[in-house]
Every structure is written in C-alpha cells, then in structure tokens.
Amino acid sequence: MKVAKVLSTGTDQSNYEKTTLSNGIRVITATMPHTRSAAVHFYIGAGARREPPKVAGVSHFVEHMVFKGTRRRPNPAQISEDIEGVGGNLNAATDHEQTNYRALVPYNYLHTAVDVLSDMLRGSAFLPEEVAKERDVILEEIDSTFDSPGDIADLEFDALLWPRHPLGRDVAGSKASVKRITRDDLVSHIENAYQPDRIVVSVAGNVAHDDVVEQVATRWTDMPHSRNGKYHEDVSPSVESGPKVKFYKKRTEQVNLLVGVPALPYTHSGRFVQDVLDSILGAGMSSRLFVEIRENRGLAYSVSSFVKTYADVGAFGVHAAVDNARVDETISAIMDELGRIKLEPVSEIELRKVKEYIKGNTLLSLERSSYVAHWGGWQELQLGRIEPMDEVLDKIEAVTAEQVQALANELFKSERLHLALVGPARDASVLPGLLVVN
C-alpha cells in the first residue's frame, strides 16, 4: 500500500495525522486517549448543489438507501444492530456541498464502525422494492417540512436569495423530482460522485492512527483512482438584489419571519469577523437581538441570528417567531439593531464577552470525539487543510471593533435585504417598505 503521511498539529486535544491511500482517499485521525469512544465519519464531496434539476434530491435519496441493506447485510436491521448492539449510534446527513455518514462506538469496536460504514457505501444493494418504500418515506419527509413554519421560512429565504440555483431549493428535492428518480439514477450517482478524491475518512477518539489506516485500507484500496464521471457541473449563483419579500400563507398561531442578506463564504478571510458579528447580534440570551426584542420589548419568544456559508457564497439572517399583530414592529426593531451596529462601534467589553463565548464554546465542543472528527473531516474535505485550533482562536481574538463595523456596513444595506414570512393571511404590501437599514 503506497501512502503519504502528513502531520497537521493543533491543540493537544485536536492533533491530526493524515494518510493518503494510494487511490487518493484521505484518512485523518485525532487521538484522544482520555476518551472511551471512537467517532468514525466518512465525508463525501457530493451534495445537492451539483444535482441536475430533473433528479434534484438524488444525493439525499442515496443517503437514505445505503441504510436499506447491503450484499453482506441484506436486512436493514443488520446494519443498525451491528452498531447499536455494542451501544453505539449510526447516522448520516446530506448538505448542499457534501454528504456524511458517521458512527459513534466504544473505542474497542472501531473495526465494527469502519466495516459497517464501508459496507454501506460500497456494498449497498439498492433493491427495487426498497427504493420504492424509501421513496414514500422521503415524500413523507418533504411533507413534514411543510408542517414546520420555521422550516418553510428557511426554504423560502433560500429561494429568494438564490432563485434558479440548487442552493435555493430543498436538499431533499421536490415531490415531483423525487418521484422521477429511478434506481439507475441512484446507482449512477454513487458510482460517479463517490470517487476516492472526494472521500475523507475522519476518526477521533481512543484510537491509533496506523490502526485506523489499516482498517480503512483493507476495505478501500481496491477501489480504483478517481475517473472523469458524469458528475453535474457546479456553477456559482448570482447575487440577487433586494429588498424582496415572500409571504407563505399558513394557518399558524405565530408568524415565522426570516430576514437576511447575502454574506461571506467560508473561504473568505473575513469569515471570523462574520462569526463575531453573528454572535454579537444573535447568539444566546445576552445577544443584542434577544435582549432588545424579547427582554426589552417583549415582541418574540424566540429570536436569533445565523450564518450559512458555502464555498462561494453565504447568507446572514435573523429568525423570529412573533404574534401576527406585531410583525411590523418586530421587523422595524430588527432593522434598528442592524442599523445600530453599523453606526456605533462595538465596545471593548462587549467584544471581549463575545470572543470568550465563541472560544469557550469551541473548546468545550472538542471534549466530544464526534465534534473532533467533524472538525477535521469537514475542513479536510472543504478547505483541503485542517486549521489548527490555536490558529482559529487567534483569528477570533484578532477581530477588531472596526472590522465588525466595516463588515456590518458592507452587509446590512436595504437593497440587499430579503424577507420570508410564514403565517396567517394578511396585507403584505407594507412589508417591503419596512426593510430599511439606516
């Protein structure tokens, strides 16, 4: 087995070793001898943003199907039982840019986790009867999304921001596209998209790097090098100007509103400034939006901000759930807070509090082997390197009040605003006029 080893060093809690197998699959580990667990994550650089519209949702469909039986484990229950039978858990998720499969097991069952996940990804049967059953399950999943006002607002906001682009549609696809997807589409997707140069295996816990590499290599080195397949071309979305409003009428007790702007991608050097800005405005019960909108004005029970980032674009938004009679007042209050952070530099006291919040939250997350595996696997796949934790914390620490204010002025402009609302029917004609940030 021909391998190339590279060592990437972070803090004592997150040192990573990396080995690239002869076919291009990357294996990274973080040894955490104080734990009793092993978190095994397979990251695949295949997601919803590179799907043709005709088969939108195929990545998510494949993610479901690999749990439905393999040639070695024909009964789906055998897959879950092999992990749950040792006290572990098994899960997966599809995003716009990647799909990941993960298992958390006691460390002495590392081989079981690697074997089950490898079998799922390489030996899935895609039996026609299972495809038919899982199609119905996914259609029910899509229906359930539209039972959740918050989820609807999120989808409508993405569609406003990135219309006519895969980033603006549901990862699960539409009911129409899911009904069109055939078994051949599923098999073709995994054959073309699940290529070695798009696979990262990230393992963290009480493990030895060489043991992990051996476990993975035994099951994967016979896979040939990546080839030029029919993986759909990826294009960047155009940035839509605003202000734009979409009102989705639904009989609910509250209106869920989501207002935001195009923002920085995770590849941008200013992403740490953006994280600080997000935390100042809407992270936790001491954030500006929570204090002003819930505590001071009593407008909403739930209010927070968020950042979505992709390789080439991003979004910064604020979500709130409010009484229908107080929607206009809440939107105006959000606009006031966006305007205030543009006009007034953040105090050193507030900036210090937010930095400590981000750093502390990140460090506490590294106590969990699953998060350490995620940290390394996602970065290796999406960035091509793993940023040492000390380096990341230094970049957070280096953010200045002037940078926060400058970014707020860059992002929070009236012509960039997009507003999605879900709630009872009302006159929505006044809403665009409320989207003004001074």
PDB file of all heavy atoms in Angstrom, residues 255-258 293 300 302-304 318-322 330 334:
ATOM      1  N   VAL A 255     -46.360  34.137  13.424  1.00  0.00           N
ATOM      2  CA  VAL A 255     -45.692  34.330  12.147  1.00  0.00           C
ATOM      3  C   VAL A 255     -44.211  34.039  12.347  1.00  0.00           C
ATOM      4  O   VAL A 255     -43.575  34.580  13.253  1.00  0.00           O
ATOM      5  CB  VAL A 255     -45.877  35.770  11.630  1.00  0.00           C
ATOM      6  CG1 VAL A 255     -44.993  36.014  10.405  1.00  0.00           C
ATOM      7  CG2 VAL A 255     -47.331  36.017  11.286  1.00  0.00           C
ATOM      8  N   ASN A 256     -43.672  33.151  11.523  1.00  0.00           N
ATOM      9  CA  ASN A 256     -42.228  32.928  11.494  1.00  0.00           C
ATOM     10  C   ASN A 256     -41.639  33.801  10.400  1.00  0.00           C
ATOM     11  O   ASN A 256     -42.067  33.709   9.240  1.00  0.00           O
ATOM     12  CB  ASN A 256     -41.910  31.464  11.213  1.00  0.00           C
ATOM     13  CG  ASN A 256     -41.901  30.620  12.465  1.00  0.00           C
ATOM     14  OD1 ASN A 256     -40.848  30.307  13.010  1.00  0.00           O
ATOM     15  ND2 ASN A 256     -43.093  30.266  12.942  1.00  0.00           N
ATOM     16  N   LEU A 257     -40.724  34.656  10.781  1.00  0.00           N
ATOM     17  CA  LEU A 257     -40.100  35.527   9.787  1.00  0.00           C
ATOM     18  C   LEU A 257     -38.595  35.316   9.778  1.00  0.00           C
ATOM     19  O   LEU A 257     -37.980  35.021  10.802  1.00  0.00           O
ATOM     20  CB  LEU A 257     -40.447  36.989  10.049  1.00  0.00           C
ATOM     21  CG  LEU A 257     -39.909  37.672  11.303  1.00  0.00           C
ATOM     22  CD1 LEU A 257     -38.541  38.299  11.078  1.00  0.00           C
ATOM     23  CD2 LEU A 257     -40.890  38.736  11.769  1.00  0.00           C
ATOM     24  N   LEU A 258     -38.045  35.440   8.597  1.00  0.00           N
ATOM     25  CA  LEU A 258     -36.598  35.289   8.425  1.00  0.00           C
ATOM     26  C   LEU A 258     -36.150  36.389   7.478  1.00  0.00           C
ATOM     27  O   LEU A 258     -36.585  36.438   6.327  1.00  0.00           O
ATOM     28  CB  LEU A 258     -36.283  33.908   7.854  1.00  0.00           C
ATOM     29  CG  LEU A 258     -34.881  33.355   8.089  1.00  0.00           C
ATOM     30  CD1 LEU A 258     -34.874  31.857   7.861  1.00  0.00           C
ATOM     31  CD2 LEU A 258     -33.889  34.016   7.165  1.00  0.00           C
ATOM     32  N   ILE A 293     -35.315  42.572  21.587  1.00  0.00           N
ATOM     33  CA  ILE A 293     -36.612  42.164  21.036  1.00  0.00           C
ATOM     34  C   ILE A 293     -37.421  41.320  22.018  1.00  0.00           C
ATOM     35  O   ILE A 293     -38.640  41.488  22.125  1.00  0.00           O
ATOM     36  CB  ILE A 293     -36.403  41.421  19.700  1.00  0.00           C
ATOM     37  CG1 ILE A 293     -35.920  42.435  18.655  1.00  0.00           C
ATOM     38  CG2 ILE A 293     -37.675  40.726  19.229  1.00  0.00           C
ATOM     39  CD1 ILE A 293     -35.536  41.841  17.338  1.00  0.00           C
ATOM     40  N   ALA A 300     -41.117  38.875  20.965  1.00  0.00           N
ATOM     41  CA  ALA A 300     -40.987  37.497  20.485  1.00  0.00           C
ATOM     42  C   ALA A 300     -40.452  36.597  21.585  1.00  0.00           C
ATOM     43  O   ALA A 300     -39.658  37.021  22.430  1.00  0.00           O
ATOM     44  CB  ALA A 300     -40.051  37.445  19.278  1.00  0.00           C
ATOM     45  N   SER A 302     -38.931  33.698  20.635  1.00  0.00           N
ATOM     46  CA  SER A 302     -37.734  33.150  20.002  1.00  0.00           C
ATOM     47  C   SER A 302     -37.179  34.147  18.991  1.00  0.00           C
ATOM     48  O   SER A 302     -37.893  34.589  18.097  1.00  0.00           O
ATOM     49  CB  SER A 302     -38.077  31.828  19.296  1.00  0.00           C
ATOM     50  OG  SER A 302     -36.994  31.353  18.526  1.00  0.00           O
ATOM     51  N   VAL A 303     -35.905  34.490  19.125  1.00  0.00           N
ATOM     52  CA  VAL A 303     -35.229  35.346  18.149  1.00  0.00           C
ATOM     53  C   VAL A 303     -33.741  35.027  18.177  1.00  0.00           C
ATOM     54  O   VAL A 303     -33.149  34.859  19.244  1.00  0.00           O
ATOM     55  CB  VAL A 303     -35.471  36.847  18.431  1.00  0.00           C
ATOM     56  CG1 VAL A 303     -34.963  37.241  19.812  1.00  0.00           C
ATOM     57  CG2 VAL A 303     -34.837  37.715  17.352  1.00  0.00           C
ATOM     58  N   SER A 304     -33.147  34.915  16.997  1.00  0.00           N
ATOM     59  CA  SER A 304     -31.720  34.594  16.909  1.00  0.00           C
ATOM     60  C   SER A 304     -31.213  34.962  15.523  1.00  0.00           C
ATOM     61  O   SER A 304     -31.997  35.185  14.596  1.00  0.00           O
ATOM     62  CB  SER A 304     -31.473  33.104  17.165  1.00  0.00           C
ATOM     63  OG  SER A 304     -32.166  32.314  16.196  1.00  0.00           O
ATOM     64  N   VAL A 318     -31.688  36.708  10.317  1.00  0.00           N
ATOM     65  CA  VAL A 318     -32.298  36.789  11.641  1.00  0.00           C
ATOM     66  C   VAL A 318     -33.643  36.085  11.566  1.00  0.00           C
ATOM     67  O   VAL A 318     -34.439  36.336  10.653  1.00  0.00           O
ATOM     68  CB  VAL A 318     -32.508  38.254  12.085  1.00  0.00           C
ATOM     69  CG1 VAL A 318     -33.224  38.296  13.437  1.00  0.00           C
ATOM     70  CG2 VAL A 318     -31.178  38.989  12.153  1.00  0.00           C
ATOM     71  N   HIS A 319     -33.900  35.203  12.542  1.00  0.00           N
ATOM     72  CA  HIS A 319     -35.177  34.490  12.605  1.00  0.00           C
ATOM     73  C   HIS A 319     -35.918  34.895  13.870  1.00  0.00           C
ATOM     74  O   HIS A 319     -35.318  35.050  14.931  1.00  0.00           O
ATOM     75  CB  HIS A 319     -34.958  32.980  12.615  1.00  0.00           C
ATOM     76  CG  HIS A 319     -36.214  32.216  12.918  1.00  0.00           C
ATOM     77  ND1 HIS A 319     -36.521  31.754  14.185  1.00  0.00           N
ATOM     78  CD2 HIS A 319     -37.262  31.849  12.127  1.00  0.00           C
ATOM     79  CE1 HIS A 319     -37.687  31.134  14.159  1.00  0.00           C
ATOM     80  NE2 HIS A 319     -38.155  31.173  12.925  1.00  0.00           N
ATOM     81  N   ALA A 320     -37.222  35.055  13.738  1.00  0.00           N
ATOM     82  CA  ALA A 320     -38.065  35.336  14.907  1.00  0.00           C
ATOM     83  C   ALA A 320     -39.444  34.740  14.695  1.00  0.00           C
ATOM     84  O   ALA A 320     -39.923  34.638  13.557  1.00  0.00           O
ATOM     85  CB  ALA A 320     -38.176  36.839  15.145  1.00  0.00           C
ATOM     86  N   ALA A 321     -40.067  34.323  15.789  1.00  0.00           N
ATOM     87  CA  ALA A 321     -41.452  33.853  15.767  1.00  0.00           C
ATOM     88  C   ALA A 321     -42.272  34.805  16.620  1.00  0.00           C
ATOM     89  O   ALA A 321     -42.001  34.964  17.822  1.00  0.00           O
ATOM     90  CB  ALA A 321     -41.540  32.427  16.306  1.00  0.00           C
ATOM     91  N   VAL A 322     -43.269  35.476  16.001  1.00  0.00           N
ATOM     92  CA  VAL A 322     -43.970  36.572  16.683  1.00  0.00           C
ATOM     93  C   VAL A 322     -45.481  36.499  16.431  1.00  0.00           C
ATOM     94  O   VAL A 322     -45.945  35.848  15.495  1.00  0.00           O
ATOM     95  CB  VAL A 322     -43.448  37.949  16.208  1.00  0.00           C
ATOM     96  CG1 VAL A 322     -41.966  38.073  16.449  1.00  0.00           C
ATOM     97  CG2 VAL A 322     -43.753  38.164  14.729  1.00  0.00           C
ATOM     98  N   THR A 330     -41.778  44.107  14.940  1.00  0.00           N
ATOM     99  CA  THR A 330     -40.587  43.265  15.112  1.00  0.00           C
ATOM    100  C   THR A 330     -39.585  43.486  13.991  1.00  0.00           C
ATOM    101  O   THR A 330     -38.371  43.582  14.221  1.00  0.00           O
ATOM    102  CB  THR A 330     -40.986  41.780  15.172  1.00  0.00           C
ATOM    103  OG1 THR A 330     -41.901  41.578  16.253  1.00  0.00           O
ATOM    104  CG2 THR A 330     -39.768  40.896  15.384  1.00  0.00           C
ATOM    105  N   ILE A 334     -35.724  44.810  14.372  1.00  0.00           N
ATOM    106  CA  ILE A 334     -34.543  44.143  13.799  1.00  0.00           C
ATOM    107  C   ILE A 334     -33.756  45.124  12.950  1.00  0.00           C
ATOM    108  O   ILE A 334     -32.518  45.186  13.025  1.00  0.00           O
ATOM    109  CB  ILE A 334     -34.970  42.913  12.973  1.00  0.00           C
ATOM    110  CG1 ILE A 334     -35.574  41.844  13.888  1.00  0.00           C
ATOM    111  CG2 ILE A 334     -33.777  42.346  12.211  1.00  0.00           C
ATOM    112  CD1 ILE A 334     -36.223  40.696  13.139  1.00  0.00           C
TER     113      ILE A 334
END
